[in-house]
Amino acid sequence: MIGVRLLGRDAELEDVDRRLRAGRLVTLIGPGGVGKTALANEAVGRAAERFALGSRVVDLTRVDDADAVPGALAAQLGFDSFQALLDAPGDRKALLLVDNCEHLLSAAAGTIGRILEVCEQPTVLATSRSPLELPGESVVALAPLEVPAVDTLDPLAWPAVELFLERARDAGVRIEGADLDAVVDLCGRLDGLPLALEIAAARARTMSPAEIAERLRQGTDVLDRPRYRGATRHRSVAETIRWSYDLLGSDERELLDHLAVFIGPFDGGTARRLVGLDHDHRRFDVLIDELVHASLLVAETSGSSTRYRVLESVRRFALEHLVARGERDAAFDRFVDVALQRALENLRGSTTAWRPEVLQDMLRVYDDLAEALRWCNRHDIEPQRAWQLCACMWAVVHQGRADDVVMVGRQTIERWPFDGSSVAAAAVATVATAEYVSGEPQRAIALAEATLGALACPSVATVTLQRVLGQARRAIGDVSGALAAFSDGAEVARTLDMPAMAVELDVAHAQVSADDGHVEEALPALRSSVEESVRIGSVINEAWARSCLGWVLLRVDPTTALGEIERALDSSRRMTTTGEQIDYPIGVAVNLRSRAFAELLRGDVVAARSTIAELLDDVLERGAISHARLVIDVAAVLAHRIGDACWARLAATAAALPTATLVGAGYELVPLPAGGAQPMARRAALATVVALVTAPPSDAEVRTVPTATGTTTTITGRAPGPDDASPSLVERGPVWEASYHGRVATVRSSKGLADLAVLLASPGREHHCLDLAGAGSQQASPGEVIDASARRAYEARIRDLQEEVDDADLAHDLARAERAQAELDALVDHLTAAIGMGGRTRRASGTAERARTAVTHRLRSAIRTFADAHPELGRHLRASVNTGLYCSYTPPDDTTWRIERGSSSQL
């Protein structure tokens, strides 16, 4: 349960931790409401630091379709497809929590089994009501909390009682004296199930424990209902939910029932629209607050925004009410209409100018769109809503959801025969685009050509169909067909007043033309597209046009091209002049690749190696494995330049992979000799690139190679200069400057950087956390540190400060960022001293424990800061810095740092 501190689970936690050390699959089983999720989160929090990649969480309650489990799991982990997850290199260990497997048990088991079979590094902790029945599975059965006898001498020592009392205190009620006997009776009646205890305790504001127990005794009719027969503990949860539900007013009950159509988190605005309270915010807030206070709804706040979630047990209960009242279909119909309306509002105006926030908005609502489309495919009589929903998904196809869109899109066009309408054509265009991005260009061509031939008149769908037709034709080598499709699409777009789409198609035409040797014609066309993008105010179009301009410029002037590439890269991932934030992954990836090619053409092999490492990090961290070709082809050129034999197999692999973007393969810029090497699997190729870019560069790498003009030039990797002989960390007033492998990163000063300097100055030496924290003699525990209300206030302020630091960084407001970071560090130091593992409020520990948590936070924060500025250095520090009661720097090789603090220096 979210918000409930873990009580009485020490033995189970130790058991789970021991099993996670010994095996790769641990399944935590138990009845609904027993606290599996809370225990799993606590176990993951304790074990995560043993895994280089930390922990990741997947919540399967967000999925209702068994076929969607693999794609949904991959998407929640940040990968653009399940195959991409399987193909990601596994050089670092990760801990994966897959929560709530029970309602899709077979699909979840098959997906987890495939991950464990193919991927070497993940360790999986799953929660379910039943075992997954997979080889090597270690099962931990979780029982309810222990409940005392009614006449026990010390009821406060029992976890079930302690939990009830704590949650009652959170509701503003303190229970003492004679009421404790009633609490003991109540805990026994509720079988010690945490969910049931929490729901009951939430009612302590208006009823005494004795009254609550009596009301539950009166509700025994629920035990006679067939769906609640079975284990008593299952009935206890159902009975408690029903009892608490019956105490709600009719309006609150109706609201809860209708919110159950959401399978994942939702915001207040969407919920208001669903239930018809879009213009009555005050009434909606009162109703939803009551559901939160009754613990039937969870509110999850991040900064200034709040999202809500219906607990799975409560959701199933509420859906049964909708069915019993005959309102389920009507509720889901409204859900479909709301999801569609929201998507159409997000996309409004996108044909004129792409707004930066469109992509983020559409990704946030994708789960709702997919669920709504599945509902329409199963229940609607007419196809219009399904076609519209499918058409809206076009915006997210290139953002990592292509495989998901292919699956649900194929269902749509198979369910509803094409009728020649523009809305049906738009749906087909989405599916065709997804087929192309997923590596099926022939299927994309067949869909696009058949649909274009059946359209009665030009429409928006005509433009998107010509777009994907051109992309797919280029992917199979049909240059003239691609050019014709892009030209025809741009002409229709301008006729229909769709300048943003027209510019995109113009850029695609210029790219293909340049790849076909017509560089001098392509360059002015691309410059014109940049100017038109600026004129119509489409920052996404501008970023992409600049990206392609930089790529084409590489053929004639690498130095000028590099400047254009840097501008395009900056606009793809930073603030615009209007203050809008672009999150444009393909722009970032393409420009990093272009920068690496530019550095290779200019002879800076060391810089190219670093850029390829940055590109690899970006692709892997985003899970955008469909962009693997962008990494592998330029890595093949790097390997060839430095004489690494892996170049031939990397080149063959890149040539065999589908092209997810029209930016060319790149070998015409820096040709590779012909070779007959066999392609590798994508996973093996990416692992080879990891080894290539993380290997230490030689002092000087000199080779004579062909250039784009057919002449020869000397390519020299930059030899280390005086400042590169050893890595350095130098304090320069308010900033620290780190030099590592020939690249310099500058970051703001912090306590964590000062701690890091101490560790780097003495490799292999252990430093007690008290020494790093500057604490004096150890002190004994003085008592409880922080109460629940103060803790919530701390956490709320920390969330606000985290957002303020991010906003200030993006706005380059150094002073505001430093002020917010200083307050954030102080609050985190205090809060980490006041809470235990998993967020349990504890009695104040001694000085050593407070120092350990504070220093660990500071060091990890410093390493994250360096990782953002210098990915190669970040990887080195993550692998070499150890935290805990004793902290140390243990590099894998003999690394000596030059440390300068003010006027002093250390070697």
Side-chain angles (χ1 to χ4, degrees), residues 25 51 53 76 155 213 233 320 354 503 721 858 883:
L25 173 61
F51 296 82
L53 287 177
Q76 288 189 45
R233 56 194 58 158
E320 288 179 359
W354 271 102
V503 169
R858 288 172 0 197
T883 59

Side-chain angles (χ1 to χ4, degrees), residues 305-324:
S305 63
T306 299
R307 293 175 70 78
Y308 301 94
R309 184 167 61 88
V310 184
L311 295 172
E312 183 61 16
S313 300
V314 178
R315 179 174 183 256
R316 298 294 173 186
F317 175 88
L319 284 175
E320 288 179 359
H321 265 262
L322 280 178
V323 173

Side-chain angles (χ1 to χ4, degrees), residues 602-623:
R602 298 176 71 206
D604 196 343
V605 176
V606 172
R609 183 196 298 268
S610 179
T611 295
I612 295 170
E614 187 177 351
L615 169 60
L616 179 67
D617 279 346
D618 182 82
V619 167
L620 294 182
E621 287 176 7
R622 293 180 187 273

Side-chain angles (χ1 to χ4, degrees), residues 158-182:
W158 295 79
V161 174
E162 187 179 359
L163 174 59
F164 183 91
L165 295 178
E166 180 179 285
R167 300 308 287 160
R169 284 196 296 270
D170 289 346
V173 179
R174 185 170 295 276
I175 298 172
E176 298 174 341
D179 281 337
L180 286 177
D181 289 339

Side-chain angles (χ1 to χ4, degrees), residues 518-539:
H518 304 287
V519 175
E520 295 304 324
E521 297 175 10
L523 285 173
L526 288 169
R527 291 190 176 97
S528 176
S529 293
V530 171
E531 293 171 359
E532 187 172 356
S533 300
V534 173
R535 185 169 62 253
I536 66 176
S538 180
V539 292

Side-chain angles (χ1 to χ4, degrees), residues 150 161 164-165 175-189 208-214 217:
V150 175
V161 174
F164 183 91
L165 295 178
I175 298 172
E176 298 174 341
D179 281 337
L180 286 177
D181 289 339
V183 170
V184 171
D185 175 52
L186 185 57
C187 291
R189 182 169 296 279
S208 72
E211 289 174 317
I212 295 173
E214 178 61 27
R217 276 193 292 272

Side-chain angles (χ1 to χ4, degrees), residues 363-698:
L363 284 171
R364 275 194 290 268
V365 303
Y366 174 79
D367 286 336
D368 287 345
L369 281 179
E371 178 67 11
L373 181 53
R374 285 190 286 267
W375 173 269
C376 291
N377 288 339
R378 291 193 298 263
H379 297 90
D380 278 11
I381 299 174
E382 299 295 331
Q384 279 71 26
R385 294 196 305 178
W387 282 337
Q388 284 185 292
L389 287 164
C390 190
C392 289
M393 291 181 180
W394 179 83
V396 300
V397 167
H398 288 281
Q399 310 304 316
R401 305 309 295 253
D403 281 7
D404 288 349
V405 175
V406 164
M407 183 178 68
V408 71
R410 285 178 181 175
Q411 294 171 357
T412 302
I413 60 177
E414 289 170 4
R415 168 72 174 82
W416 310 105
F418 180 65
D419 64 356
S421 66
S422 60
V423 65
V428 175
T430 293
V431 181
T433 303
E435 297 279 11
Y436 158 71
V437 174
S438 297
E440 297 285 350
Q442 294 288 7
R443 290 181 67 103
I445 291 170
L447 281 172
E449 288 182 337
T451 307
L452 282 167
L455 274 174
C457 58
S459 66
V460 173
T462 306
V463 180
T464 52
L465 285 164
Q466 291 286 9
R467 174 184 183 268
V468 67
L469 184 60
Q471 292 170 327
R473 282 177 170 165
R474 175 65 180 85
I476 65 171
D478 180 5
V479 173
S480 60
L483 290 171
F486 291 138
S487 179
D488 291 346
E491 182 179 350
V492 174
R494 288 196 164 83
T495 301
L496 298 176
D497 193 24
M498 299 169 60
M501 286 295 297
V503 169
E504 183 178 346
L505 291 166
D506 287 343
V507 170
H509 188 282
Q511 286 176 260
V512 175
S513 180
D515 288 345
D516 199 38
H518 304 287
V519 175
E520 295 304 324
E521 297 175 10
L523 285 173
L526 288 169
R527 291 190 176 97
S528 176
S529 293
V530 171
E531 293 171 359
E532 187 172 356
S533 300
V534 173
R535 185 169 62 253
I536 66 176
S538 180
V539 292
I540 295 291
N541 279 116
E542 180 188 352
W544 184 242
R546 288 191 184 279
S547 301
C548 298
L549 176 59
W551 171 252
V552 175
L553 272 172
L554 283 174
R555 294 162 170 79
V556 294
D557 187 352
T559 301
T560 302
L562 189 57
E564 195 66 54
I565 290 164
E566 291 294 351
R567 283 191 289 273
L569 180 60
D570 185 67
S571 65
S572 293
R573 63 185 180 187
R574 295 185 183 275
M575 297 288 288
T576 69
T577 55
T578 61
E580 295 175 302
Q581 175 68 31
I582 300 179
D583 183 14
Y584 196 35
I586 186 60
V588 173
V590 161
N591 283 293
L592 286 173
R593 172 178 175 271
S594 296
R595 187 173 78 186
F597 272 116
E599 289 160 346
L600 287 167
L601 286 168
R602 298 176 71 206
D604 196 343
V605 176
V606 172
R609 183 196 298 268
S610 179
T611 295
I612 295 170
E614 187 177 351
L615 169 60
L616 179 67
D617 279 346
D618 182 82
V619 167
L620 294 182
E621 287 176 7
R622 293 180 187 273
I625 309 299
S626 61
H627 297 161
R629 180 170 179 162
L630 299 176
V631 182
I632 295 169
D633 67 359
V634 70
V637 178
L638 170 67
H640 183 255
R641 291 294 172 89
I642 64 177
D644 192 307
C646 72
W647 73 264
R649 296 200 69 191
L650 287 176
T653 304
L657 287 173
T659 305
T661 168
L662 289 177
V663 173
Y667 299 145
E668 71 275 16
L669 298 179
V670 273
L672 293 173
Q678 291 295 315
M680 293 182 276
R682 187 167 58 171
R683 176 183 174 82
L686 287 170
T688 300
V689 177
V690 170
L692 179 70
V693 300
T694 55
S698 59

Side-chain angles (χ1 to χ4, degrees), residues 586-906:
I586 186 60
V588 173
V590 161
N591 283 293
L592 286 173
R593 172 178 175 271
S594 296
R595 187 173 78 186
F597 272 116
E599 289 160 346
L600 287 167
L601 286 168
R602 298 176 71 206
D604 196 343
V605 176
V606 172
R609 183 196 298 268
S610 179
T611 295
I612 295 170
E614 187 177 351
L615 169 60
L616 179 67
D617 279 346
D618 182 82
V619 167
L620 294 182
E621 287 176 7
R622 293 180 187 273
I625 309 299
S626 61
H627 297 161
R629 180 170 179 162
L630 299 176
V631 182
I632 295 169
D633 67 359
V634 70
V637 178
L638 170 67
H640 183 255
R641 291 294 172 89
I642 64 177
D644 192 307
C646 72
W647 73 264
R649 296 200 69 191
L650 287 176
T653 304
L657 287 173
T659 305
T661 168
L662 289 177
V663 173
Y667 299 145
E668 71 275 16
L669 298 179
V670 273
L672 293 173
Q678 291 295 315
M680 293 182 276
R682 187 167 58 171
R683 176 183 174 82
L686 287 170
T688 300
V689 177
V690 170
L692 179 70
V693 300
T694 55
S698 59
D699 289 348
E701 297 161 339
V702 182
R703 294 182 58 81
T704 300
V705 298
T707 65
T709 60
T711 61
T712 59
T713 186
T714 300
I715 306 298
T716 306
R718 181 169 58 84
D723 293 335
D724 297 328
S726 63
S728 63
L729 184 63
V730 181
E731 185 179 23
R732 301 189 187 280
V735 300
W736 286 80
E737 184 180 275
S739 176
Y740 184 77
H741 282 183
R743 185 171 177 180
V744 177
T746 302
V747 299
R748 294 194 302 272
S749 295
S750 68
K751 293 179 181 180
L753 284 170
D755 297 336
L756 189 60
V758 173
L759 300 183
L760 296 181
S762 52
R765 177 186 168 190
E766 291 187 334
H767 296 262
H768 197 284
C769 60
L770 285 170
D771 296 328
L772 293 174
S777 60
Q778 297 195 32
Q779 301 172 358
S781 172
E784 188 169 291
V785 178
I786 187 171
D787 63 24
S789 60
R791 174 181 169 179
R792 287 194 293 271
Y794 268 74
E795 291 170 341
R797 181 56 179 159
I798 285 171
R799 288 192 295 267
D800 291 342
L801 286 168
Q802 287 170 334
E803 286 199 348
E804 186 172 348
V805 170
D806 292 341
D807 291 344
D809 282 341
L810 291 171
H812 307 293
D813 188 343
L814 183 59
R816 182 161 67 96
E818 286 181 341
R819 288 194 302 270
Q821 186 66 52
E823 184 181 351
L824 176 61
D825 287 342
L827 287 179
V828 169
D829 284 353
H830 190 185
L831 191 57
T832 52
I835 62 177
M837 294 297 294
R840 294 176 299 171
T841 304
R842 65 182 175 204
R843 299 182 70 78
S845 62
T847 309
E849 176 62 16
R850 295 198 300 272
R852 182 191 69 78
T853 55
V855 169
T856 295
H857 165 75
R858 288 172 0 197
L859 283 169
R860 290 178 180 174
S861 178
I863 292 171
R864 283 196 300 271
T865 301
F866 271 131
D868 291 339
H870 192 327
E872 186 180 7
L873 174 56
R875 288 193 298 271
H876 173 74
L877 293 176
R878 285 190 181 115
S880 305
V881 173
N882 307 300
T883 59
L885 194 62
Y886 289 89
C887 303
S888 64
Y889 168 64
T890 54
D893 49 17
D894 187 14
T895 303
T896 302
W897 283 76
R898 178 170 57 87
I899 309 297
E900 293 187 13
R901 296 288 303 271
S903 59
S904 63
S905 67
Q906 303 175 39

